[in-house]
């Protein structure tokens, strides 16, 4: 039997953005934080590098803004960049107050404007400004925020809850567009429950699982983007999918990311014969922006027919490597690779979704009562390519901004009246789940082959033809069988794949993360790709 739940704020997603928003809101608001798997199943936990922020006396807001604009290849919205960077120190101070154990500087009195905590430098940054907790920053932040959330009596943390769709006034045939809650699958009972909320916050992460090779956990299926689109929200710049240049290449490693900080601390990229190659592609060599490095690796692998390239930091002292990269060292050693003595085999993999649901500085979407924060969103911060370690910063800055906005409106917004229960009267249990598995595999393979690091018109046309057939099959399946996590994720992923392809087909140029052989040059002036759903504004 399904149930009805009532909260002031429903947060869909339990990562950095969702937990930050929940902890920023006061204790008189009842908050539910949903995770579709375990609470630690999102991307935050696995983030290694750190958080970019202006913290050192020698660094400036203008410098961080400029580095972000350069990396974004002309498509960043400068007001969004400046808003984020100007609030960076405040966000880091809040994390420190929560007790996040950032790595402290062994020499805080050094002449370059020393800061209490150790700051590292990553690709595209002109200063050391990445605050981190060794090479497991995400885990340190997540564990700290989760413990704080567990201590809050007004925050309910719910695992194994998969959001199916948003409930809006329009969906119920009412006048108006306000978001009233969501239908959520309880995996334990198998029933779809109804969540009533004054405010709904999408903090669901990105959509990198749309690709065959990804550094992300299995949960990054674009759920928030798909639900928002179906509810009537615009999406922007979904053609810009960042491929992390260096994921461990090993048959048992699945999707282990080798942090950008390895290159920031002197790691060198080499061909199988030991030759360096990045200096041929960019003046900053290994410290070039990620899109440049990923394309360079992809180019060299295809040129040589190589399975991978190599990231070598073995020329550094072993104690230095173990102290700065304990997670990478231990994980590689488990696969028989001693990074203090030998290079690491690496390949690019889908890593970050730069576009998403269109929001403004307070996290508001096109639908009243619906907010989106974190990787689910298109804020204008990242432009055509995300600068390293700006993603976690965006989570904290926009989560706090959205929380402040929700608090201002809370007393004026009533809890929705009784909402209809989920109707499962016309569906049956599926005995054909092999179709889901097959479609899932087909989708991720053609997205990798046709909509990957290098694109062409013909590849995109093939991908669009394939995804439209899949969407038709999935819709039929969804209409006739009971929902499951696999079906919900496949439905969302196929829709987001279609939106990515449509966005890529509209961009007749190469810029940042979108590189096409048919349009190799950029076009001025640069324009965002904004897609408008059929229900928007009618």
């Amino acid at each position: 039997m399904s149930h009805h739940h009532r909260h002031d704020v429903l947060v869909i997603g339990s990562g950095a953005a969702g937990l930050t928003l929940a902890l920023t809101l006061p204790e008189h608001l009842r908050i539910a934080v949903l995770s579709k798997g375990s609470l630690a199943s999102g991307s935050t936990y696995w983030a290694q590098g750190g958080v970019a922020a202006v913290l050192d006396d020698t660094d400036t807001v203008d410098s961080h803004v400029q580095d972000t604009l350069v990396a974004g290849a002309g498509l960043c919205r400068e007001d969004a960049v400046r808003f984020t960077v100007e609030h960076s120190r405040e966000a880091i101070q809040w994390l420190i107050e929560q007790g996040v154990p950032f790595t402290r500087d062994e020499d805080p009195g050094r002449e370059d404007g020393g800061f209490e905590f150790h700051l590292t430098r990553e690709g595209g940054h002109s200063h050391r400004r990445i605050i981190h907790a060794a090479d497991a920053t995400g885990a340190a932040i997540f564990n700290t925020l989760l413990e704080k959330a567990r201590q809050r009596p007004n925050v309910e943390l719910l695992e194994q809850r998969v959001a199916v769709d948003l409930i809006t006034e329009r969906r119920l045939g009412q006048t108006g567009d306000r978001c009233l809650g969501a239908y959520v699958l309880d995996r334990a009972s198998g029933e779809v429950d109804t969540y009533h909320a004054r405010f709904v916050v999408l903090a669901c992460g990105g959509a990198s699982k749309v690709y065959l090779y990804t550094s992300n956990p299995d949960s990054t299926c674009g759920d928030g983007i798909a639900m928002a689109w179906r509810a009537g929200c615009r999406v922007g710049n979904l053609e810009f999918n960042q491929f992390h240049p260096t994921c461990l290449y090993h048959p048992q490693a699945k999707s282990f990311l080798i942090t950008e900080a390895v290159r920031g601390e002197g790691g060198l990229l080499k061909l199988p014969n030991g030759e360096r190659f990045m200096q041929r592609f960019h003046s900053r060599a290994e410290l070039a922006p990620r899109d440049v490095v990923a394309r360079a690796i992809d180019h060299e692998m295809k040129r040589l027919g190589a399975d991978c390239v190599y990231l070598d930091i073995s020329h550094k002292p072993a104690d230095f490597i173990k102290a700065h990269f304990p997670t990478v060292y231990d994980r590689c050693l488990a696969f028989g690779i001693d990074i203090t003595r030998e290079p690491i085999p690496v390949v690019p993999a889908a890593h970050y979704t730069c576009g998403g649901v269109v929001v403004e500085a307070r996290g508001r979407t096109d639908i009243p009562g619906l907010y989106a924060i974190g990787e689910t969103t298109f804020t204008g911060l990242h432009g055509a390519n995300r600068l390293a370690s700006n993603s976690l910063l965006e989570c904290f800055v926009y989560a706090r901004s959205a929380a402040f906005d929700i608090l201002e409106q809370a007393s004026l917004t009533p809890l929705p009246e009784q909402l209809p229960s989920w109707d499962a009267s016309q569906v049956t249990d599926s005995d054909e789940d092999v179709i889901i598995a097959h479609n899932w595999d087909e989708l991720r393979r053609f997205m990798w082959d046709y909509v990957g690091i290098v694109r062409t018109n013909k590849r995109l046309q093939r991908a669009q033809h394939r995804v439209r057939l899949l969407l038709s099959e999935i819709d039929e399946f969804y209409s006739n069988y009971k929902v499951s996590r696999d079906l919900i994720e496949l439905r969302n992923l196929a829709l987001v794949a279609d939106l990515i392809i449509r966005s890529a087909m509209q961009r007749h140029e190469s810029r940042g993360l979108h590189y096409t052989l048919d349009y190799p040059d950029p076009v001025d002036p640069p324009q965002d790709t904004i897609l408008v759903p059929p229900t928007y504004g009618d």
Side-chain angles (χ1 to χ4, degrees):
M1 179 179 177
S2 64
H3 297 88
H4 286 250
H5 306 269
R6 290 169 175 79
H7 297 86
D8 294 308
V9 184
L10 174 63
V11 183
I12 304 175
S14 62
L19 291 176
T20 296
L21 181 133
L23 290 171
T24 302
L25 289 170
E27 292 192 11
H28 71 268
L29 294 177
R30 294 163 298 161
I31 304 165
V33 178
L34 308 185
S35 176
K36 65 179 179 178
S38 67
L39 291 168
S41 60
S43 295
T44 297
Y45 185 85
W46 302 103
Q48 295 176 18
V51 189
V54 179
L55 302 167
D56 197 298
D57 293 343
T58 64
D59 199 4
T60 65
V61 167
D62 286 342
S63 177
H64 190 169
V65 167
Q66 186 60 30
D67 288 345
T68 303
L69 294 176
V70 170
L75 266 187
C76 296
R77 295 185 174 179
E78 188 166 355
D79 58 342
V81 176
R82 192 162 292 277
F83 172 80
T84 306
V85 175
E86 286 178 346
H87 288 84
S88 62
R89 183 184 288 267
E90 167 194 315
I92 298 302
Q93 187 58 46
W94 181 81
L95 290 170
I96 293 171
E97 290 170 0
Q98 304 309 304
V100 176
F102 291 118
T103 299
R104 292 187 176 273
D105 199 328
E106 297 175 359
D107 183 20
R110 66 185 190 277
E111 294 181 0
D112 62 350
F115 178 59
E116 179 181 357
F117 296 93
H118 183 264
L119 302 176
T120 191
R121 181 181 172 190
E122 295 180 350
H125 289 275
S126 57
H127 286 79
R128 284 183 173 267
R129 63 168 66 103
I130 317 301
I131 188 169
H132 62 99
D135 64 345
T137 308
I141 291 173
F142 174 81
N143 289 333
T144 301
L145 298 185
L146 179 62
E147 184 58 32
K148 286 286 185 180
R150 283 176 168 154
Q151 296 170 12
R152 294 279 294 270
N154 66 316
V155 177
E156 192 174 2
L157 300 168
L158 300 170
E159 296 184 310
Q160 309 301 331
R161 302 303 204 282
V162 186
V164 181
D165 257 328
L166 299 170
I167 305 171
T168 63
E169 290 173 329
R170 181 189 294 268
R171 180 188 179 118
L172 300 181
Q174 302 174 3
T175 57
D177 288 322
R178 187 167 189 86
C179 186
L180 307 173
Y183 290 118
V184 178
L185 172 66
D186 182 338
R187 295 183 69 199
S189 67
E191 299 291 340
V192 176
D193 294 336
T194 306
Y195 283 74
H196 307 236
R198 300 177 190 225
F199 306 97
V200 177
V201 182
L202 298 172
C204 316
S208 288
K209 197 69 179 178
V210 76
Y211 289 103
L212 183 61
Y213 300 111
T214 174
S215 65
N216 287 197
D218 289 340
S219 59
T220 54
C221 298
D223 302 309
I225 299 169
M227 287 190 290
W229 173 265
R230 287 194 294 265
C233 292
R234 293 169 298 158
V235 297
N237 284 5
L238 280 173
E239 68 271 35
F240 297 115
N241 301 278
Q242 187 174 70
F243 289 79
H244 196 286
T246 55
C247 280
L248 178 61
Y249 177 73
H250 189 281
Q252 277 85 50
K254 195 177 180 182
S255 58
F256 182 68
L257 181 151
I258 306 299
T259 172
E260 186 110 10
V262 172
R263 283 180 286 128
E265 294 295 341
L268 304 174
L269 284 165
K270 298 180 178 180
L271 301 176
N273 66 1
E275 174 191 345
R276 288 182 65 193
F277 60 90
M278 274 309 305
Q279 69 277 4
R280 291 191 273 110
F281 293 89
H282 197 278
S283 60
R284 287 187 174 181
E286 279 79 8
L287 291 178
R290 285 179 176 174
D291 62 318
V292 176
V293 180
R295 275 202 305 275
I297 294 174
D298 183 68
H299 177 272
E300 292 301 298
M301 287 172 57
K302 288 175 177 173
R303 180 177 70 85
L304 297 172
D307 292 328
C308 64
V309 296
Y310 294 86
L311 179 58
D312 191 0
I313 197 169
S314 63
H315 52 279
K316 291 281 190 177
D319 290 344
F320 173 90
I321 295 171
K322 293 175 184 178
H324 281 75
F325 309 111
T327 305
V328 174
Y329 173 78
D330 290 342
R331 187 64 179 271
C332 287
L333 199 60
F335 295 114
I337 303 165
D338 182 351
I339 68 173
T340 67
R341 297 174 177 270
E342 57 190 318
I344 309 165
V346 294
V347 293
H351 182 59
Y352 192 85
T353 308
C354 286
V357 182
V358 175
V359 297
E360 41 79 281
R362 294 164 294 184
R364 293 185 183 184
T365 69
D366 293 324
I367 297 178
L370 179 66
Y371 291 76
I373 51 178
E375 195 176 349
T376 299
T377 66
F378 164 63
T379 63
L381 171 64
H382 305 304
N385 177 36
R386 175 178 71 93
L387 182 64
S389 292
N390 267 354
S391 51
L392 281 174
L393 176 63
E394 181 183 45
C395 287
F396 304 127
V397 169
Y398 280 84
R400 287 170 56 77
S401 179
F404 298 144
D405 194 61
I406 288 171
L407 180 58
E408 286 184 5
Q409 299 182 68
S411 62
L412 305 174
T413 307
L415 191 66
E417 297 178 7
Q418 186 68 25
L419 299 176
S421 299
W422 178 258
D423 183 7
S425 61
Q426 304 299 314
V427 297
T428 62
D429 289 320
S430 168
D431 58 359
E432 293 288 342
D433 281 358
V434 65
I435 295 174
I436 297 176
H438 176 80
N439 286 354
W440 180 277
D441 184 64
E442 181 183 354
L443 174 71
R444 297 179 68 211
R445 285 186 182 278
F446 74 65
M447 286 296 290
W448 181 263
D449 290 338
Y450 299 150
V451 200
I453 296 174
V454 177
R455 301 162 179 177
T456 65
N457 287 342
K458 188 172 289 292
R459 291 175 191 175
L460 292 175
Q461 290 164 3
R462 287 174 177 169
Q464 186 172 62
H465 176 69
R466 301 275 284 278
V467 80
R468 295 291 167 83
L469 292 175
L470 280 183
L471 282 168
S472 178
E473 284 185 23
I474 293 164
D475 283 345
E476 181 183 1
F477 200 91
Y478 180 81
S479 300
N480 290 292
Y481 296 106
K482 287 185 177 180
V483 294
S484 64
R485 172 172 173 169
D486 286 347
L487 177 56
I488 294 166
E489 289 185 333
L490 176 63
R491 179 181 181 233
N492 289 338
L493 211 57
L495 173 56
V496 174
D498 183 50
L499 295 174
I500 290 171
I501 295 164
R502 286 171 57 184
S503 300
M505 293 180 80
Q506 286 191 24
R507 185 164 295 280
H508 294 172
E509 64 167 349
S510 289
R511 184 180 298 275
L513 301 167
H514 175 77
Y515 186 80
T516 169
L517 297 177
D518 290 304
Y519 307 103
D521 299 316
V523 173
D524 287 322
Q527 300 287 330
D528 292 321
T529 305
I530 306 296
L531 302 183
V532 181
T535 57
Y536 182 76
D538 60 11

